[in-house]
Amino acid sequence: MKLLAPISLSLGVVVFSTTAFQPSFSFTPSQRAPRTKVSPVVLHQEGKGSFSLANLFGESGSPGPSLRGSKNLEPHPSVRPHISPLNRLGPDEKKEVKSEPLPFHPNVKSGTLPNGLPYVILPNKSPPGRFEAHLQVFSGSADELEPQQGIAHLTEHVAYMGSRKRELLFGTGSQTNAYTDFHHTVFYAICPNTTPRTNIPMLPMALDALVDVMEARVESSRLEKERAAVLSEMTMVNTIEYRVECQILSTLHRENRLAKRFPIGKEPLIQSWQTDDVKSWHRTHYRPDNVLLYLVGDVDAEEAEKVIAEKFGRLSAEKQGAEIKIPDIKAQAKDLADAVVGGTVKAAGSWHYPPVRHDWNIAKDMDVDEKLIIPKDQLEYDIDLQNSYPLDEEVTFLQTDEVAPGKNIRPHIFRHELLQSFSMHLFAKRPVEAIIDLDSFRKSLARRVALAALQIRLNVGGRSDDPAFTFVEFNQLDSAREGCAVCSLDLTAEPHKWKDAICKSLSEIRKLGVHGVTMGEMERYASSLMTDAEQLAAQGDRIEHGDQLSYLMETVANGHTFMSPEQSYYMTSKALSSLTVEDVNAAAAELCSHVMSFKEGEDPVDGSVIAVACLPKGLDEDDPAYCDEDSLVKTIYEACQQEVEPEEDVVVPFTLVPEDELAKSMEENPPDWLGGQFTDGTPSTAPDTITRPFTLRRLGNGIRIGVNQNPHESQRGHLRLVAPGGRDAEKRLGFKKGSMAIGARTMQEGGAFGPWTREQVELFCVDHLLMVEITCSEESITVDFVFPTTNVGNVGFGDDVQLGITGTESVMQVVREIIVGFKWEEDALGRSKSSFRGTHESMLKNLENLSTEKIMEAMTADDERFLSIDVDEVNAITLDDAKNAVMSQMSPGNLEISISGDFEVAEVMEMVYKYIGTIPAESNKEFLVEELPADVKGAAVSSVPNLPLPGKFVELELPDSDPRAVAYVSGSAPNAWGYLADGKTVSEIILEKDKRASEYDTSRRKHPLFARIALLLLSEIFNRRLFSNVRERKQLTYDANFSFTGFERLMGGWFLVTVTASKENAQKALEACKETLHNLRKTNPITPDNAESAKRVVLNRHEFSLRTTQYWTEQMSGLQEESVPLKGPLSFTDFQAVVEAITVKDLQLVLETMGLDDDELYTAIGKTVKPEGVEEPEEELVRQAPVIGMRRGGALTG
């Protein structure tokens, strides 16, 4: 059970996340389905008039035709005529278009049942044999009344966790979850089409579970369990990041009810509610006209419509209304419903939006729908919650500074002892602009080109050896959860550089707004958009259900047109063919208008700019790091007075490795293929044969190569370069502590190759859509690339296009240069060290991270390989230290390259042959060093240290104004492949214990994959038991999680149980976790059902992951490494067979290889304590719980 999103609260694992600019579409507007009438479903048909609730309940809201269970019942008190939630997919959406309308997805089918319940069906074949059903209730925390704060989230828990029909989905390979946000509550079921083995259709079962949500029984026993879970969740999420986002959102939305209606709610209210309170909320909002059912997957649309009608057709708003038992709540809900339709963006723009109004920040000549300009005092009812109420927190976020006539900034400063850096968040709120025709689509593309140009300028040009900011992002995103588009500047900086960071970022924004983009930028980012649209079109119906669903939900919510990938590609080509630099510059000027308007002499815009700064507490006023509201406003205003010059184009290389240079290398270092060699018993492969599912070979220079063709991610690929060693090698070879990790980060921050500067190389990567990430773990340096497999870096469109090289070839060039041509630069080292200093300082102020560090210190006897790098150690690293450490691992004989993608294997092997095979075998030999003697290293080579016994209890206190606690239970465990720290294997140990094992069992347990599969299954079983015991039965926590460290190259490892709880329950939760571990061995051992359920989860995850190129490269890495002796081709070919063959007895025996005895356990509790000088609030003051941490733009994974 984890957090879903910024503010969104969820029951469990999360679905999707958003990012800022990337060349992929944030939405895929879509098309109407063929109109076919299927009784008793009322489908939307062209020309038949608009849908509204007035058609169902009468123009005045009186009942229409009686529905089952609704005879002689009064109308529901909250039902009002309103626009269809289907928006562009609905029949009443007749919005005029100014140009060629965008086409609707041809396969989408939408309709509305006679009871008013709308639905959308999108048949989708990827992955085959599965579907997702999502029920969206258009009521969230923003719809709560004063005495209901937090009840939407609690009801979500009660409704789904209490569903008996949801429980029938367990053990079928299904995933169910729910989450609550400002504007909605969503329940979903992700299922196979049929049950395992019995082949019973699962769509009716999944819809039964969602109907059960609509008819939820509110039982007192379930209410108490979920009350405890929600109260524990309040503690768990209350991190400093959480509190920062609370401050940001409270300030951003201070003029409406979002500032006072966070989903987590108010603790005293949550503690007080009884079943009638929850049931009243449920019956008020869970009604047919206030939901939307999405069904995406491998389904037949017409058959699915029949099942939807059968399952949901019996629901009735009147029946729900009759079960609202609290008269006062019923009356208040009626008043709120009147106000919602009387003056909110929910009624005027989209029923998906929260019931709010906004103070827009818009240019005076901007064309805005008049319905969205809602006067502040339009209603007598205080729907914006601007009055004071008993449960309010004391806040003063409405101060607005007029820096010049008509030019306003709303500032807010948040100081906290846990903050280590300065951050600033500058916002302008604008109406969402529907993307429904060619003109609006072209404008959205122009905006994306402008945003891309600015972000790359900030990222590439804004870096130096002493950068003004450590992070910066400028974006504008449509946010259905807030009912607006938010243009945001987010930056972080070292506290004493805050003024420079603001000046630098605002100067770049003004430069874009005033001078626009260069022709080179125009071509670069327009080409990227075209390439991305082409990739999506090529993927077609292979786009995963979850991705399709997220596009669908977001586009429907914001009133955009949902197109198929093919239609989107066609319209993108058409729009870009007529897109001019003037169009892009006009979009840039509009994006930046709120910043540009502060320049003296420029016209003001309507509305205020919101500025929130967050910084460490306790700074003196004469400290350069000190910032208050006045100095923040002054700095912003003065930064906008700077004169700006146009951007100059940078010459970007067409290729990093010229043909003549490559030909010379082929002549001087002729490449050669050798067969693949393995240590898992698989015979060596031939050097000249392409095999399935992967081709595994070695080059003559020693580099191991694995290539897999994966068509599921069309025109995309993933490459992983692994250099075994990491921080373990750092210690074994006697390098300075931290030099390997800081060196890897220096490579990430750098990028100059051969004759090319870092800026040229980074723009080459941008042109070719390459994403690169370089990391250092305890056991390896890893370089990951994501790339397109088609021609990229193209110039022009249509017949005039000039093709660049393929993304596959460009990634080969970058890999080659990383190994043999990388330039180490002081400014890159400076940025790397700054990042590590910030990470360490943040760790010291983070309860979870600091507690983990302390228990790791105890378990490893301060082994530096597994601990953070402190500031003094960071400062001691020189460029030579970093370079020598990393390059010592870059010897060709130490490297392995794994590649997966939508390409022809033979073509890729030829590129590998040319670019990688011509790297001399002796490259980087000058950096090779000998290992230290064992008595100097102080630890066994390539293994974790033995746990000092007996185990210890570690207690930690961290100053913090809010009470929080976290507990840990840890002990020894095998590594991912079953090796223990002493070199023995799991298979060897259990064969010694089970002397009577049959020949068959002995053979199974000797399989190289046996221990890996057993540990995967145990992890699932542990987590399920922890949930059942610690959360469900004992009600001590919202979430308890079990995990293995999962080392592959280091022998041995640890398990770790993490549990969050209140300070009062932390010790009890820790003991409950220990009890769960012990019971699994003794009093409550693993059952066949436990094992079967875990197998379904592991197999489904593996099957799904095989569709991704990243998973293939992760799994291929190590197949030819001697340092991972049990990993080889059998780990792929025999995966399902080994899973199915594992028995309960196998799992119980593997349990015994873990350090689970009391004297082997290490435990820890981290708690916060009040900082000195902080006074307790008065008892009658009810504190507003902060909002779930978020980034602009929508739900993120928790």
Side-chain angles (χ1 to χ4, degrees):
M1 313 299 265
K2 295 194 166 91
L3 294 181
L4 217 229
I7 256 196
S8 293
L9 305 178
S10 83
L11 286 173
V13 182
V14 251
V15 191
F16 60 88
S17 65
T18 59
T19 58
F21 172 82
Q22 56 181 12
S24 60
F25 287 96
S26 303
F27 42 79
T28 312
S30 73
Q31 171 163 9
R32 290 182 198 274
R35 307 300 176 184
T36 311
K37 190 167 184 179
V38 180
S39 180
V41 181
V42 178
L43 294 182
H44 301 146
Q45 303 190 25
E46 297 290 350
K48 290 235 177 163
S50 62
F51 163 82
S52 76
L53 291 175
N55 296 336
L56 298 175
F57 302 103
E59 288 295 334
S60 62
S62 59
S66 294
L67 301 168
R68 188 189 341 175
S70 62
K71 291 182 179 180
N72 303 318
L73 295 177
E74 295 181 359
H76 192 288
S78 294
V79 169
R80 301 291 182 276
H82 61 76
I83 55 179
S84 169
L86 292 170
N87 284 338
R88 293 287 292 165
L89 294 177
D92 55 342
E93 183 56 52
K94 301 297 182 184
K95 189 171 290 184
E96 290 186 13
V97 294
K98 299 179 181 179
S99 61
E100 178 184 349
L102 296 177
F104 289 84
H105 195 303
N107 298 330
V108 168
K109 182 164 284 191
S110 58
T112 303
L113 300 182
N115 60 5
L117 189 144
Y119 60 87
V120 180
I121 304 171
L122 175 60
N124 192 62
K125 296 290 186 181
S126 181
R130 293 187 69 83
F131 67 87
E132 298 192 19
H134 289 231
L135 181 68
Q136 184 177 22
V137 181
F138 295 112
S139 295
S141 61
D143 298 272
E144 293 167 346
L145 301 168
E146 184 67 11
Q148 292 181 321
Q149 295 177 65
I151 205 165
H153 178 221
L154 180 61
T155 303
E156 166 225 308
H157 276 250
V158 172
Y160 218 16
M161 294 299 291
S163 168
R164 303 288 189 272
K165 292 178 180 177
R166 171 178 175 261
E167 293 176 359
L168 296 177
L169 303 180
F170 295 170
T172 63
S174 299
Q175 177 189 357
T176 59
N177 206 343
Y179 54 95
T180 302
D181 208 333
F182 281 138
H183 62 315
H184 67 194
T185 304
V186 179
F187 303 83
Y188 64 83
I190 304 173
C191 307
N193 282 6
T194 59
T195 56
R197 297 188 174 88
T198 55
N199 290 323
I200 298 172
M202 286 207 65
L203 179 59
M205 297 172 63
L207 297 188
D208 277 339
L210 296 179
V211 171
D212 218 22
V213 165
M214 295 291 290
E215 300 178 318
R217 299 172 299 278
V218 183
E219 299 169 340
S220 58
S221 59
R222 174 52 60 183
L223 173 59
E224 292 310 314
K225 288 181 179 181
E226 300 313 316
R227 190 199 314 274
V230 168
L231 291 173
S232 175
E233 184 179 5
M234 296 182 81
T235 300
M236 183 188 79
V237 302
N238 194 24
T239 64
I240 186 59
E241 294 82 11
Y242 177 115
R243 286 173 254 179
V244 165
E245 293 303 336
C246 174
Q247 297 291 322
I248 291 171
L249 288 165
S250 292
T251 309
L252 175 59
H253 296 298
R254 198 67 188 96
E255 78 273 17
N256 63 52
R257 64 193 295 115
L258 298 188
K260 295 184 180 181
R261 289 293 185 267
F262 295 127
I264 200 70
K266 301 289 180 70
E267 183 175 345
L269 293 177
I270 295 169
Q271 290 174 330
S272 69
W273 290 320
Q274 302 303 310
T275 54
D276 278 351
D277 298 294
V278 174
K279 194 170 185 177
S280 291
W281 166 268
H282 181 276
R283 299 307 194 256
T284 299
H285 297 278
Y286 287 58
R287 56 182 201 269
D289 72 283
N290 197 45
V291 301
L292 175 56
L293 177 69
Y294 290 94
L295 179 60
V296 175
D298 190 5
V299 297
D300 178 273
E302 292 189 1
E303 289 301 315
E305 284 183 312
K306 295 176 184 178
V307 180
I308 291 170
E310 175 191 346
K311 299 298 182 182
F312 287 89
R314 70 172 183 265
L315 301 176
S316 159
E318 294 93 336
K319 185 177 179 181
Q320 296 290 79
E323 296 184 12
I324 301 174
K325 300 299 184 183
I326 305 177
D328 188 45
I329 291 295
K330 195 170 187 176
Q332 290 184 50
K334 183 176 183 297
D335 293 341
L336 177 59
D338 289 334
V340 168
V341 297
T344 66
V345 295
K346 184 182 182 80
S350 172
W351 199 247
H352 295 250
Y353 294 166
V356 298
R357 57 168 293 279
H358 293 290
D359 290 341
W360 304 120
N361 182 276
I362 51 178
K364 295 187 182 297
D365 59 352
M366 184 175 177
D367 185 19
V368 177
D369 188 339
E370 290 184 1
K371 293 185 298 183
L372 298 176
I373 302 177
I374 303 169
K376 182 166 62 173
D377 300 319
Q378 177 172 307
L379 303 172
E380 290 186 15
Y381 185 92
D382 183 24
I383 194 167
D384 299 323
L385 302 181
Q386 296 303 289
N387 297 329
S388 295
Y389 295 92
L391 297 180
D392 285 354
E393 210 177 351
E394 295 180 9
V395 291
T396 56
F397 294 141
L398 275 179
Q399 171 190 338
T400 300
D401 290 359
E402 187 175 48
V403 295
K407 302 179 180 183
N408 301 305
I409 298 176
R410 182 196 301 169
H412 175 60
I413 303 293
F414 174 56
R415 300 179 178 87
H416 200 280
E417 57 272 5
L418 295 185
L419 291 173
Q420 293 296 304
S421 60
F422 170 89
S423 68
M424 198 268 288
H425 312 271
L426 194 75
F427 299 109
K429 292 202 284 187
R430 293 161 180 162
V432 172
E433 299 177 55
I435 301 172
I436 57 178
D437 58 16
L438 184 60
D439 284 354
S440 56
F441 189 58
R442 184 189 299 108
K443 182 178 179 180
S444 73
L445 297 180
R447 184 181 293 130
R448 291 177 62 197
V449 169
L451 286 169
L454 178 58
Q455 191 60 51
I456 297 302
R457 289 181 191 180
L458 290 167
N459 288 349
V460 176
R463 294 197 290 171
S464 64
D465 57 349
D466 189 27
F469 34 69
T470 55
F471 168 84
V472 62
E473 180 178 83
F474 183 80
N475 209 347
Q476 179 166 306
L477 292 168
D478 296 339
S479 174
R481 63 194 299 277
E482 295 159 281
C484 61
V486 182
C487 185
S488 59
L489 168 67
D490 300 287
L491 64 84
T492 59
E494 294 180 40
H496 67 282
K497 295 181 181 177
W498 72 271
K499 291 184 179 180
D500 289 342
I502 291 174
C503 289
K504 175 66 176 175
S505 56
L506 292 182
S507 176
E508 288 292 344
I509 293 170
R510 286 199 64 250
K511 185 195 294 186
L512 178 72
V514 172
H515 298 294
V517 302
T518 68
M519 285 305 300
E521 289 173 326
M522 169 77 178
E523 292 176 349
R524 174 175 303 120
Y525 304 117
S527 175
S528 296
L529 293 176
M530 194 68 245
T531 300
D532 186 62
E534 183 181 359
Q535 289 180 343
L536 285 174
Q539 204 163 353
D541 62 3
R542 287 176 291 177
I543 298 174
E544 303 289 347
H545 302 330
D547 292 335
Q548 290 277 31
L549 189 72
S550 64
Y551 295 146
L552 179 61
M553 292 180 74
E554 192 66 19
T555 52
V556 170
N558 286 304
H560 304 316
T561 300
F562 183 71
M563 296 185 285
S564 71
E566 295 82 3
Q567 292 168 329
S568 182
Y569 171 70
Y570 172 75
M571 297 307 296
T572 300
S573 178
K574 191 167 187 175
L576 290 178
S577 66
S578 58
L579 183 70
T580 66
V581 71
E582 289 77 19
D583 294 331
V584 174
N585 290 344
E590 185 175 284
L591 281 167
C592 306
S593 60
H594 59 302
V595 174
M596 293 166 60
S597 69
F598 287 127
K599 182 77 163 68
E600 291 181 4
E602 295 289 335
D603 292 334
V605 297
D606 290 334
S608 298
V609 171
I610 297 98
V612 184
C614 306
L615 58 149
K617 193 174 185 178
L619 298 172
D620 295 331
E621 291 188 19
D622 56 355
D623 191 320
Y626 180 80
C627 175
D628 59 16
E629 282 84 354
D630 291 339
S631 59
L632 176 64
V633 169
K634 181 181 178 182
T635 301
I636 293 171
Y637 184 69
E638 290 179 348
C640 293
Q641 309 312 310
Q642 300 174 96
E643 297 299 330
V644 291
E645 298 295 328
E647 186 80 359
E648 293 186 7
D649 260 330
V650 176
V651 176
V652 181
F654 177 80
T655 178
L656 295 178
V657 184
E659 281 295 329
D660 57 345
E661 181 181 324
L662 189 60
K664 183 179 178 182
S665 293
M666 291 283 287
E667 183 179 336
E668 294 178 352
N669 304 290
D672 187 25
W673 281 120
L674 304 175
Q677 300 174 19
F678 315 103
T679 54
D680 71 336
T682 302
S684 298
T685 57
D688 56 357
T689 305
I690 292 176
T691 55
R692 296 287 184 268
F694 32 55
T695 298
L696 303 169
R697 300 183 192 168
R698 299 192 186 204
L699 288 162
N701 57 17
I703 298 178
R704 302 156 181 83
I705 302 295
V707 180
N708 155 259
Q709 183 183 42
N710 187 346
H712 295 294
E713 293 182 309
S714 293
Q715 301 186 3
R716 300 185 186 186
H718 194 283
L719 182 148
R720 170 166 285 196
L721 167 66
V722 175
R727 297 203 62 194
D728 180 62
E730 176 186 282
K731 182 172 183 177
R732 284 190 285 110
L733 302 177
F735 291 112
K736 281 185 183 176
K737 180 181 177 182
S739 56
M740 197 74 74
I742 291 171
R745 179 68 188 216
T746 301
M747 292 189 91
Q748 177 82 55
E749 293 289 340
F753 303 146
W756 312 115
T757 66
R758 173 184 58 81
E759 189 173 15
Q760 288 176 308
V761 172
E762 289 190 347
L763 289 177
F764 174 86
C765 291
V766 169
D767 279 359
H768 294 84
L769 307 182
L770 305 185
M771 289 184 282
V772 188
E773 183 177 19
I774 305 175
T775 57
C776 177
S777 69
E778 294 89 346
E779 53 183 1
S780 66
I781 293 174
T782 303
V783 187
D784 282 303
F785 295 87
V786 177
F787 59 93
T789 57
T790 52
N791 292 91
V792 282
N794 307 331
V795 178
F797 304 100
D799 296 335
D800 298 326
V801 68
Q802 299 176 26
L803 294 178
I805 63 175
T806 66
T808 312
E809 188 168 5
S810 62
V811 83
M812 296 296 173
Q813 295 182 356
V814 175
V815 171
R816 175 186 175 88
E817 294 302 308
I818 284 177
I819 298 171
V820 299
F822 188 82
K823 289 184 177 179
W824 291 80
E825 300 172 316
E826 285 285 354
D827 64 337
L829 176 68
R831 291 190 294 274
S832 173
K833 292 168 71 171
S834 176
S835 174
F836 273 90
R837 283 192 293 265
T839 298
H840 183 75
E841 289 170 350
S842 296
M843 181 271 292
L844 296 176
K845 296 291 186 179
N846 182 286
L847 183 64
E848 289 81 3
N849 291 349
L850 185 57
S851 299
T852 304
E853 178 87 351
K854 294 302 180 183
I855 198 171
M856 192 59 66
E857 288 175 357
M859 289 197 302
T860 66
D862 295 320
D863 191 320
E864 63 195 40
R865 295 174 295 171
F866 307 98
L867 305 178
S868 67
I869 309 162
D870 68 34
V871 172
D872 290 339
E873 292 160 344
V874 171
N875 291 338
I877 301 297
T878 66
L879 187 63
D880 281 343
D881 293 331
K883 176 181 178 180
N884 292 336
V886 171
M887 297 310 293
S888 73
Q889 305 301 294
M890 290 294 171
S891 170
N894 189 49
L895 302 178
E896 183 177 35
I897 295 175
S898 304
I899 316 164
S900 176
D902 182 21
F903 45 54
E904 292 297 326
V905 173
E907 292 179 8
V908 173
M909 297 298 284
E910 181 61 26
M911 290 182 197
V912 171
Y913 187 75
K914 290 192 305 181
Y915 285 105
I916 310 302
T918 54
I919 295 173
E922 65 274 12
S923 296
N924 303 320
K925 68 177 182 180
E926 66 272 25
F927 297 102
L928 295 177
V929 297
E930 294 184 3
E931 288 193 10
L932 295 175
D935 59 339
V936 177
K937 286 182 297 192
V941 175
S942 297
S943 68
V944 304
N946 291 317
L947 277 181
L949 296 178
K952 297 178 182 177
F953 172 68
V954 178
E955 194 166 18
L956 170 78
E957 292 185 341
L958 180 70
D960 185 0
S961 54
D962 288 9
R964 299 185 66 237
V966 61
Y968 297 92
V969 180
S970 188
S972 62
N975 78 358
W977 294 93
Y979 278 92
L980 282 83
D982 60 6
K984 291 183 179 179
T985 67
V986 165
S987 295
E988 291 169 350
I989 293 172
I990 65 174
L991 287 173
E992 289 176 6
K993 288 189 176 182
D994 190 13
K995 300 291 187 182
R996 297 183 178 180
S998 68
E999 186 175 335
Y1000 169 69
D1001 285 343
T1002 300
S1003 174
R1004 281 191 311 100
R1005 294 166 182 172
K1006 286 182 178 180
H1007 193 287
L1009 194 56
F1010 170 80
R1012 177 153 180 80
I1013 296 298
L1015 293 169
L1016 290 174
L1017 296 174
L1018 282 176
S1019 182
E1020 295 299 325
I1021 293 168
F1022 273 125
N1023 275 307
R1024 186 66 222 172
R1025 286 292 184 89
L1026 287 166
F1027 180 85
S1028 299
N1029 187 39
V1030 187
R1031 185 194 192 276
E1032 288 284 280
R1033 190 166 70 85
K1034 293 182 179 287
Q1035 301 176 25
L1036 293 171
T1037 184
Y1038 171 77
D1039 186 38
N1041 177 262
F1042 177 95
S1043 62
F1044 290 108
T1045 48
F1047 296 131
E1048 288 200 309
R1049 297 164 184 86
L1050 292 176
M1051 290 188 288
W1054 304 284
F1055 69 84
L1056 183 68
V1057 178
T1058 307
V1059 58
T1060 57
S1062 65
K1063 291 174 66 173
E1064 296 75 19
N1065 285 336
Q1067 186 64 47
K1068 293 178 184 177
L1070 187 151
E1071 295 300 328
C1073 291
K1074 290 171 60 178
E1075 174 189 287
T1076 304
L1077 300 181
H1078 293 323
N1079 288 350
L1080 205 55
R1081 295 174 66 198
K1082 304 285 175 63
T1083 60
N1084 191 12
I1086 298 168
T1087 67
D1089 283 346
N1090 295 156
E1092 284 304 308
S1093 180
K1095 287 178 181 181
R1096 299 279 74 77
V1097 172
V1098 168
L1099 286 173
N1100 285 334
R1101 184 189 302 130
H1102 178 67
E1103 181 182 352
F1104 178 81
S1105 298
L1106 286 175
R1107 305 176 67 82
T1108 68
T1109 54
Q1110 180 177 342
Y1111 185 71
W1112 277 96
T1113 59
E1114 289 171 353
Q1115 299 308 305
M1116 285 192 291
S1117 296
L1119 292 183
Q1120 301 184 71
E1121 282 183 34
E1122 293 78 2
S1123 59
V1124 194
L1126 293 179
K1127 188 174 186 179
L1130 293 179
S1131 63
F1132 266 94
T1133 58
D1134 294 0
F1135 190 93
Q1136 181 168 350
V1138 175
V1139 172
E1140 296 288 6
I1142 294 282
T1143 66
V1144 169
K1145 184 174 182 179
D1146 292 332
L1147 296 175
Q1148 291 290 163
L1149 288 169
V1150 174
L1151 267 181
E1152 297 306 313
T1153 67
M1154 299 168 56
L1156 295 173
D1157 289 336
D1158 273 338
D1159 63 350
E1160 297 176 302
L1161 294 178
Y1162 276 73
T1163 57
I1165 292 179
K1167 295 181 180 180
T1168 60
V1169 293
K1170 287 287 182 185
E1172 292 184 13
V1174 174
E1175 297 181 1
E1176 294 283 352
E1178 296 179 10
E1179 289 186 6
E1180 63 269 17
L1181 178 64
V1182 179
R1183 293 179 57 81
Q1184 167 68 54
V1187 56
I1188 299 303
M1190 70 168 290
R1191 292 192 49 168
R1192 304 299 328 143
L1196 300 175
T1197 17

